[in-house]
Each structure stands twice: as C-alpha cells, then as structure tokens.
C-alpha cells in the first residue's frame, strides 16, 4: 500500500514514520520542507503523477477542506489531522458527503486508559482527565484552541455524551497562555477545560475536569499506531471510519461556539489575535 502525506511538518513526519513502520510505502508533498520523502511541492501534482492507496492531511487547518476534497475526488480514503477545518469554515464542511471516506485523527480515542474508561461506564461518572502532549512555544491563541482543544472536546463528548459550551476565557501569564472553557454534559454535570502552553522546555498539560473526579492520563505512543491500524483495517474492509466526518463536523461546531462566545466577550477583532 502507498500513502501520500500532504504536509511534512511535525505531525506529517510522525504519520510518515508510523506508516512506514506498518509496511506502507510513503511519499510526501510539501512546498516548504526539504526532505527525501518530499517529491512534489503540491498534492495535486503527486495525485496526477503517482498511484496512491490513501492520503494523510497534515497541513494547517485552513487547508484541510480543499485537500480533503481533492483526495476524495481522486478516489482516496483520507486520514485527516484535527480539526476538520479552520474557524469560519463550518458551513463549507457540512457540504461534505456524510459517508465521505475520511477518518479524523482524534488519536486519544485509542489511548488504553481512555478506552478502559469508556468500557467501564457510559456515560461515565464525571472524572477529571489530565494528559501530556507535545509542547508548543509561542503558539497563537486560536491555534491553541482549534488544534489542541479539539482533542479535549472530542474526548469529553466521547466519554460523557454531548456537550453544551456556556463560557470561555483566554488568559496570559508569565508562564504562557491558557484557555478555560466551561459547559455542561448531557447528564447535566458541569465541566471545564483549562489548557495552557508553558514557555519552558517541559511538556504542556491539557486538563479536562469536573468538580468530583479525576484521572491522570500520560501521552501514550501506542495510541498513534493503534489509530493507524484502525484506519488501515477500516480501509481494507471498506468499513465506516470512526471517528469519521460526522465527528469532525461535531467538534468543529463546538469550536465555533467557543469562538463565538469569546468574540462576544472580547470584541470582533479577537479572532485575529496573535
């Protein structure tokens, strides 16, 4: 099998490494990265010149939709990094077919500890989830929201049911920047997400919490490979992808709600905050 990686930044390099470890032949398209895997600057050229069995979208979110459509038009199943699209593109994303062969890379759904939580009860008693992730320095606030909080929102809904966002706040301090997102679960339990980026050479922590329970979940390398194995199995067996396009749209809707609340509180120019 041959996989085209579109975007060979940090996430793209990880996808290439995992795909190769699972026996796939990998090529990449990226106009900004010099790497032996990169043979084309643009995905359209790679799709025209070579045969591929699947594609991976690992570019900035603002490019996701156009590249997902490009690959679907070429008949390829797609593994798409989160989020599905940039803020403001939700209505465009809703035009994608509901059965589009797209798997969202919400890899924490494959974390052994979180899988164990999901199997124990549904919906769960409302715990606090804490996990480490890659550190990002000088990450713009809206990038922090759409890139990393999309994971957090997906985990909460996956474990505890539909969410309703009721408030949000962005703060900065000497140690970095932080988003606090408040809301309730389908069971009526309150939740908040507090996520920050530390300007120190240590891991970033994302914290999902409710008033009464907690569990510490360290980042787990196996979840990346397990997510890829699920993608390959579903692709070979022609089974629906999970998490799929509906999950990507659902989380994008929550991100838009957070952004709407923030702009109402902080002004229309807040979306342009760097």
């Amino acid at each position: 099998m041959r996989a085209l990686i579109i975007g060979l930044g940090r996430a793209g390099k990880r996808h290439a490494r995992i795909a190769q470890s699972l026996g796939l032949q990998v090529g990449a398209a990226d106009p900004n990265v010099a790497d032996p895997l990169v043979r084309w600057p643009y995905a359209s050229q790679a799709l025209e010149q070579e045969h591929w069995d699947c594609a991976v979208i690992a570019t900035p979110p603002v490019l996701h939709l156009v590249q997902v459509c490009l690959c679907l038009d070429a008949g390829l199943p797609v593994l798409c990094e989160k989020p599905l699209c940039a803020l403001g593109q939700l209505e465009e994303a809703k035009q994608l077919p509901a059965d589009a062969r797209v798997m969202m890379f919400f890899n924490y759904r494959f974390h052994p500890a979180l899988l164990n939580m999901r199997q124990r009860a549904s919906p769960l008693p409302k715990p606090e989830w804490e996990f480490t992730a890659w550190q990002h320095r000088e990450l713009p606030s809206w990038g922090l929201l759409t890139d990393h909080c999309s994971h957090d929102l997906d985990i909460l809904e996956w474990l505890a049911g539909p969410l309703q966002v009721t408030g949000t706040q962005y703060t900065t301090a000497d140690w970095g920047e932080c988003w606090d997102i408040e809301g309730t679960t389908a069971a009526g339990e309150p939740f908040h997400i507090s996520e920050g980026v530390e300007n120190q050479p240590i891991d970033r922590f994302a914290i999902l919490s409710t008033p009464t329970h907690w569990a510490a979940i360290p980042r787990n390398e196996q979840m990346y490979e397990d997510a890829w194995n699920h993608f390959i199995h579903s692709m070979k067996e022609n089974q629906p992808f999970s998490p799929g396009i509906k999950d990507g749209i659902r989380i994008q809707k929550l991100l838009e709600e957070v952004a709407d609340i923030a702009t109402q509180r902080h002004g229309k120019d807040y979306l342009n905050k760097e």
Side-chain angles (χ1 to χ4, degrees):
M1 295 181 63
R2 305 187 73 233
L4 173 63
I5 312 294
I6 303 174
L8 203 66
R10 176 184 58 85
K13 284 183 170 65
R14 182 194 301 124
H15 283 296
R17 172 176 55 81
I18 296 171
Q20 288 174 320
S21 73
L22 296 175
L24 279 72
Q25 298 181 34
V26 172
D30 194 313
N32 301 310
V33 175
D35 187 280
L37 289 176
V38 177
R39 295 175 52 196
W40 306 270
Y42 302 110
S44 57
Q45 296 171 323
L47 293 170
E48 290 173 358
Q49 297 177 18
E50 298 281 351
H51 166 78
W52 306 97
D53 296 294
C54 62
V56 179
I57 309 298
T59 51
V62 70
L63 299 175
H64 285 185
L65 278 182
V66 65
Q67 291 170 341
V68 164
C69 291
L70 183 68
C71 294
L72 291 175
D73 288 344
L76 300 182
V78 177
L79 183 61
C80 184
E81 271 289 348
K82 82 307 173 193
L84 177 60
C85 57
L87 292 173
Q89 295 182 327
L90 176 60
E91 293 307 313
E92 186 179 351
K94 289 179 179 178
Q95 302 306 309
L96 290 170
D99 59 350
R101 299 287 288 159
V102 177
M103 175 174 161
M104 295 302 304
F105 200 66
F106 289 127
N107 47 279
Y108 276 95
R109 290 197 187 192
F110 299 87
H111 193 296
L114 294 172
L115 284 168
N116 181 53
M117 284 184 181
R118 181 174 168 85
Q119 291 166 2
R120 282 191 285 118
S122 180
L124 289 167
K126 306 306 175 280
E128 173 183 300
W129 300 286
E130 180 178 344
F131 56 89
T132 62
W134 291 96
Q135 176 176 348
H136 288 249
R137 293 190 179 189
E138 300 178 359
L139 187 67
S141 58
W142 288 103
L144 172 66
L145 168 67
T146 58
D147 187 14
H148 298 296
C149 281
S150 58
H151 268 312
D152 300 357
L153 291 165
D154 179 69
I155 291 168
L156 269 172
E157 282 221 339
W158 185 58
L159 293 174
L163 305 179
Q164 179 182 3
V165 177
T166 58
T168 183
Q169 182 177 358
Y170 172 76
T171 59
T172 59
D174 291 341
W175 56 268
E177 58 181 353
C178 182
W179 273 96
D180 289 308
I181 300 173
E182 300 175 347
T184 57
T185 67
E189 293 288 336
F191 74 87
H192 80 263
I193 296 173
S194 176
E195 179 167 335
V197 176
E198 296 202 10
N199 296 320
Q200 301 293 332
I202 58 177
D203 285 336
R204 176 184 60 83
F205 283 82
I207 304 173
L208 313 186
S209 64
T210 61
T212 55
H213 297 83
W214 66 272
I217 310 297
R219 185 169 57 84
N220 179 280
E221 289 293 334
Q222 185 64 41
M223 65 182 175
Y224 295 109
E225 183 173 324
D226 289 347
W228 255 95
N229 277 320
H230 177 76
F231 175 63
I232 292 172
H233 173 78
S234 299
M235 181 170 50
K236 287 183 175 179
E237 300 299 324
N238 198 30
Q239 294 180 352
F241 290 124
S242 180
I245 196 74
K246 292 181 180 179
D247 299 291
I249 291 173
R250 176 177 51 79
I251 296 305
Q252 191 67 28
K253 181 176 181 293
L254 287 173
L255 292 172
E256 295 283 354
E257 289 175 1
V258 173
D260 286 344
I261 293 172
T263 52
Q264 289 171 15
R265 292 188 175 185
H266 300 285
K268 293 182 178 179
D269 62 340
Y270 201 70
L271 277 172
N272 299 318
K273 180 178 176 59
E274 294 294 332

